[in-house]
Amino acid sequence: MGGAMEADSASAASRDAAASVVEASVSGDDDAPFEFAARLDQLSRDDARLQVEVRGRHLMLLRRGDDVFAMDATCYHMGAPLLHGDVEDVPGHGACITCPWHHYQISMTTGERLYQDMTKKTCALPKKQRVHETKTSADAVLV
């Protein structure tokens, strides 16, 4: 049991040290501070996904090409785990994730729910899903 606690302390210390380096590298940037969310190598392949916790909020990170997206990890509608949703590019809306429970499509950049009207035109409902700005710095994903 002591070994597990020591390993947890060591990984927490490592994460805190990485976060300190990242915070130092982004101080003075833009208006809102970015927080360390993950190492970039944890999202090394296309469509890699990771669930993380930042400031007590559970987030899903997803890599699509050179972009890393972050959004709340559960669907706003009924709490489905978005980590398991399919992702596809929707013309005019970019990368969208599909809720695995109710098949709602959600824009990864705006959080809007998409639907097709009677003429098969893709439309968006007002923003519902919380999305978070991301950037990469020093081999880390910042949210």
Side-chain angles (χ1 to χ4, degrees), residues 62 64 67 69 86-98 105-112 114 122:
L62 181 135
R64 189 127 173 114
D67 296 321
F69 298 97
D86 292 330
V87 178
E88 67 178 285
D89 289 320
V90 175
H93 298 279
C96 296
I97 193 159
T98 301
Q105 276 192 314
I106 302 168
S107 167
M108 298 288 298
T109 55
T110 66
E112 295 171 313
L114 305 179
T122 301

Side-chain angles (χ1 to χ4, degrees), residues 25-34 133-135 142:
S25 71
V26 292
S27 62
D29 274 359
D30 307 328
D31 20 33
F34 280 80
E133 186 178 355
T134 64
K135 64 181 173 179
L142 308 176

Side-chain angles (χ1 to χ4, degrees), residues 71 74-87 96-106 113 129:
M71 65 177 18
T74 57
C75 179
Y76 68 88
H77 176 236
M78 291 193 69
L82 293 176
L83 196 65
H84 303 293
D86 292 330
V87 178
C96 296
I97 193 159
T98 301
C99 171
W101 289 356
H102 299 101
H103 308 289
Y104 292 167
Q105 276 192 314
I106 302 168
R113 177 177 167 222
Q129 186 71 26

Side-chain angles (χ1 to χ4, degrees), residues 14-70:
S14 172
R15 186 178 65 238
D16 291 344
S20 297
V21 170
V22 170
E23 285 177 30
S25 71
V26 292
S27 62
D29 274 359
D30 307 328
D31 20 33
F34 280 80
E35 297 273 338
F36 174 83
R39 294 184 328 269
L40 191 56
D41 65 1
Q42 292 177 283
L43 297 165
S44 60
R45 63 178 171 68
D46 195 35
D47 200 37
R49 300 159 193 232
L50 184 65
Q51 186 165 326
V52 298
E53 185 177 334
V54 176
R55 289 191 193 172
R57 183 174 290 278
H58 296 276
L59 305 178
M60 178 198 65
L61 303 177
L62 181 135
R63 183 174 197 149
R64 189 127 173 114
D66 292 333
D67 296 321
V68 176
F69 298 97

